[in-house]
Amino acid sequence: MCAPILIAVLGAREGVRTALVLSTLLNLALLVRTHRDVLVTKGALLLVPAVGATPFLAWAAGRIDATVLTIVAGVLTVVSAVALLSGLRWAGGARPAFAVAAGVMSAAMNVVGSIGGPALALYSVNAGWPPARARSTLQVIFLASNVVALVSLGLPASRDGVRWAGLLAALVVGWVVGLRLHRRVPEAGARVATLLVAAVGGAVAVGRAMF
């Protein structure tokens, strides 16, 4: 959930596209290790609407002021983090209609702020997916959504080799540190820390856009 920070630093459009590239690489790395746990049929209920809605939502996002996009992305990040931290659940949350709604909401949040995860995570929790299988399945959906979003929005404009080297180095370091902490830090604690960082990043993005 580094997208709000990238948006605050690089601007709404470039920040989203950069975050999508980095997220795609991370999705691939995670799936190499966990692809056997993917829930194919259940995941398709989320993947199809998410991928199908992305081009239309990207077209709409391209016609909205960048400052507004930054504020929307930041607010959605904070609200989503709070919802996940609160353990929000709703009756009948595993119905196909909710899966479609979650897929479309994820696509909207992805093209606006590269934060498509919370809507899908909320659905997977309410549907009762086992955590390990949910993580793997959602990576497939994120990967497909990110690729379609990049095709629809376009690649990042920056060709600054130093910037990209720094971003890729940070991605690798984060990956290695994450693997080490995964063995030592309780999953619940790591999840709370990640969501708190995301919420702070979202708040920073909103503050920078407004002031």
Side-chain angles (χ1 to χ4, degrees), residues 186-199:
E187 183 174 337
R191 177 174 174 273
V192 169
T194 300
L195 291 172
L196 287 174
V197 170

Side-chain angles (χ1 to χ4, degrees), residues 10-194:
L10 302 177
R13 304 193 194 283
E14 186 71 1
V16 167
R17 294 171 183 177
T18 301
L20 287 171
V21 171
L22 297 175
S23 179
T24 299
L25 296 175
L26 185 59
N27 300 148
L28 288 169
L30 291 169
L31 281 171
V32 168
R33 303 176 66 248
T34 66
H35 64 277
R36 293 182 180 85
D37 293 327
V38 173
L39 297 167
V40 177
T41 303
K42 293 180 179 180
L45 290 174
L46 295 170
L47 187 150
V48 172
V51 170
T54 294
F56 301 100
L57 293 167
W59 176 85
R63 283 149 182 79
I64 300 174
D65 181 73
T67 299
V68 175
L69 285 178
T70 300
I71 294 172
V72 170
V75 170
L76 287 175
T77 301
V78 174
V79 171
S80 299
V82 171
L84 288 171
L85 283 169
S86 69
L88 180 66
R89 290 177 177 269
W90 63 88
R95 295 174 184 171
F98 282 101
V100 173
V104 173
M105 176 61 71
S106 173
M109 294 172 69
N110 205 35
V111 298
V112 169
S114 187
I115 46 171
L120 301 185
L122 284 172
Y123 174 83
S124 70
V125 169
N126 281 276
W129 293 3
R133 305 206 71 180
R135 282 193 295 270
S136 301
T137 304
L138 295 184
Q139 292 306 318
V140 174
I141 302 168
F142 297 153
L143 175 61
S145 297
N146 288 341
V147 170
V148 175
L150 282 169
V151 170
S152 303
L153 295 171
L155 293 173
S158 174
R159 298 296 182 267
D160 186 338
V162 175
R163 173 192 290 180
W164 281 105
L167 290 171
L168 292 174
L171 186 68
V172 172
V173 170
W175 166 259
V176 173
V177 171
L179 288 177
R180 291 182 177 275
L181 290 178
H182 179 69
R183 303 186 186 99
R184 301 181 182 181
V185 178
E187 183 174 337
R191 177 174 174 273
V192 169
T194 300

